[in-house]
Amino acid sequence: MNAKWQEHDERGTTLALRALRFAALALGRRVVRVVLYPLSLYFVLTSATTRRVSREYLARVLPHPPRFRDVLRHVFSFASISLDRVFLLTRSYPFKVVERFGPNATELARERGALLFVAHFGSFEVMRIGALHDHRLPLRIVLDVNIGRRFMAALAELNPEIAAGIIDSSKAGVDLVLKVREALDSRAVVGMMVDRVRAGERTVEVDFLGSRARFPASPWLLAAALKVPVIVVFGVWQGGDRYTAHSDILTEKIELPRANRDAELTRYVQAYADRLAAQVRRAPYNWTNFFDFWAQ
Amino acid sequence: MSGLTSDERQMAEVIVSALNLEHIQADSVDPAMPLFGQSQPGWGLDSIDALEIVLAIQQKYGVELKADDASVTRAFASLRALTQLVSERRA
């Protein structure tokens, strides 16, 4: 079991967030974006691993064999999305966000609480500025604080309020279930990343973009335990300063009867993987998993 | 003889009936066996079960188990530890 993304994540966080965020906030989005071109080029030229995993990923989703400029565009998108996160978290830039919400998603979350399932694709942060904000639905994020330590430090500086709402998942088990339940009881919606597998974690294998891929089982077990709806959300970067916020009910309730728990679990995860794949094919450069996703 | 105290047997029955477990005999289970994870011998429970147990304990004993409590996390290691915590909290 590897966890290569853990290294990459920290690297990406350091590079795109830590080094740029002071300049970003001081100079503004338009000025700092100019830096992203040479920065992306430098990154593509110096990291053979990034080139390889990007190319392998793009081969799955592009209609033509990926070329160097496709890889460059992919890395540039990643840098751009990472930089925008600084502005989103500090609410210091008026992004144009188009909301594409499925029927009743927000109402359901408001009435019954909900888990928002998120992938490392685009920028989930755009969800905060639309309907959730209007409906005064506080959003709390489940995150392994040990893995995202540097991200947490950056977040604490950029937006202490969001940082304080983070639910630490480093110690999974009973405590996490109880914490999430308490958050839902206090009328928050709870978001969690559901695409990356942590070392030693139980996984579910499904079809995803042309071959088998493994996803973590725990978000689904958690949703089943808490008997809350699962809402899938995608904050997709459309270029420039435009984002689309998608949100849709995946299921109102996850039921995993003991007798065929594994089969049912696979059915839910496959349904999610299909939705994710559809989004990814529509906006392939939003994918920010720069590691061999299919080998995780 | 199973070595279960009567409190432990009662707790085992609460868990077995709350979760509809068929593979566990409440009156002869090893009280030190791990509740969670895939290790054998063990109960083989997962996080769905954890919450069900919390709810069942609340209902049966009136003991509310909360997050951010290290002794709760420890208690979920085994039937024995869980029974101990609940009887302490009831007192």
Side-chain angles (χ1 to χ4, degrees):
Chain A
M1 177 88 53
N2 74 40
K4 284 219 168 90
W5 55 267
Q6 295 179 3
E7 293 159 36
H8 171 81
D9 206 35
E10 285 293 79
R11 187 179 172 197
T13 306
T14 318
L15 205 84
L17 265 178
R18 194 129 183 257
L20 278 174
R21 69 172 188 266
F22 300 107
L25 294 173
L27 301 172
R29 185 171 180 271
R30 273 180 62 186
V31 176
V32 177
R33 279 180 73 79
V34 175
V35 183
L36 295 185
Y37 295 95
L39 185 76
S40 305
L41 184 62
Y42 170 81
F43 199 65
V44 171
L45 292 175
T46 55
S47 171
T49 311
T50 301
R51 285 199 303 273
R52 182 180 58 77
V53 295
S54 171
R55 206 177 277 270
E56 281 170 11
Y57 157 75
L58 290 171
R60 293 172 184 274
V61 289
L62 294 184
H64 55 81
R67 292 177 291 246
F68 181 79
R69 62 172 158 169
D70 299 315
V71 172
L72 186 59
R73 184 171 168 196
H74 188 201
V75 170
F76 175 78
S77 297
F78 172 65
S80 180
I81 288 165
S82 301
L83 178 66
D84 278 352
R85 192 165 288 149
V86 173
F87 297 101
L88 284 162
L89 287 169
T90 50
R91 312 233 157 96
S92 52
Y93 186 92
F95 289 97
K96 298 178 184 71
V97 180
V98 175
E99 287 186 347
R100 294 247 165 78
F101 283 16
N104 303 327
T106 321
E107 290 74 11
L108 189 68
R110 201 176 153 84
E111 275 164 35
R112 292 187 40 206
L115 294 183
L116 304 190
F117 280 13
V118 189
H120 290 80
F121 171 74
S123 192
F124 164 63
E125 300 299 338
V126 297
M127 303 307 297
R128 289 185 196 280
I129 47 187
L132 291 181
H133 185 254
D134 298 343
H135 284 77
R136 299 206 174 72
L137 279 173
L139 171 61
R140 298 188 58 189
I141 304 292
V142 174
L143 193 83
D144 188 327
V145 169
N146 286 336
I147 292 172
R149 211 172 292 154
R150 280 185 225 175
F151 174 73
M152 277 301 293
L155 183 60
E157 278 176 42
L158 293 171
N159 193 324
E161 194 192 331
I162 293 175
I166 296 281
I167 300 170
D168 180 16
S169 65
S170 58
K171 288 176 299 245
V174 189
D175 191 56
L176 177 61
V177 184
L178 292 174
K179 274 186 191 152
V180 174
R181 187 176 68 144
E182 283 166 21
L184 292 168
D185 284 348
S186 70
R187 319 288 296 164
V189 290
V190 177
M192 56 183 71
M193 312 303 292
V194 301
D195 56 340
R196 290 183 184 175
V197 174
R198 289 186 289 173
E201 189 176 23
R202 180 170 164 192
T203 58
V204 180
E205 198 184 284
V206 294
D207 293 319
F208 180 60
L209 296 177
S211 49
R212 303 290 281 173
R214 295 192 308 138
F215 288 78
S218 60
W220 305 90
L221 297 176
L222 197 60
L226 296 163
K227 298 188 172 66
V228 287
V230 170
I231 295 177
V232 291
V233 297
F234 302 98
V236 186
W237 182 51
Q238 305 287 8
D241 56 4
R242 299 181 312 279
Y243 281 85
T244 313
H246 294 264
S247 136
D248 216 351
I249 300 166
L250 186 78
T251 174
E252 293 204 17
K253 192 172 154 194
I254 291 198
E255 286 178 289
L256 299 174
R258 190 176 298 282
N260 51 356
R261 190 164 281 182
D262 287 345
E264 286 299 295
L265 193 55
T266 306
R267 203 171 59 81
Y268 285 113
V269 178
Q270 184 66 65
Y272 174 75
D274 291 344
R275 302 243 186 147
L276 177 59
Q279 292 287 340
V280 167
R281 287 189 192 283
R282 240 173 274 151
Y285 298 102
N286 272 259
W287 182 251
T288 60
N289 281 314
F290 280 87
F291 62 94
D292 189 358
F293 188 83
W294 285 262
Q296 79 170 347
Chain B
M1 277 313 295
S2 60
L4 283 172
T5 68
S6 65
D7 282 352
E8 283 165 359
R9 186 174 308 122
Q10 193 185 41
M11 179 67 81
E13 277 161 14
V14 168
I15 295 174
V16 166
S17 78
L19 302 179
N20 280 321
L21 298 176
E22 280 159 10
H23 64 292
I24 300 280
Q25 292 294 319
D27 51 1
S28 61
V29 72
D30 172 5
M33 194 164 78
L35 290 172
F36 297 96
Q38 301 303 307
S39 62
Q40 286 296 330
W43 291 63
L45 306 183
D46 58 33
S47 53
I48 304 179
D49 303 321
L51 193 69
E52 301 257 8
I53 295 174
V54 168
L55 296 174
I57 287 174
Q58 208 166 325
Q59 208 166 29
K60 174 84 184 173
Y61 301 99
V63 173
E64 202 178 335
L65 303 174
K66 293 199 159 189
D68 282 322
D69 184 340
S71 53
V72 169
T73 310
R74 274 196 302 275
F76 272 86
S78 67
L79 177 68
R80 176 155 286 165
L82 190 60
T83 310
Q84 229 161 42
L85 180 87
V86 170
S87 50
E88 280 165 20
R89 297 279 164 100
R90 287 180 81 190

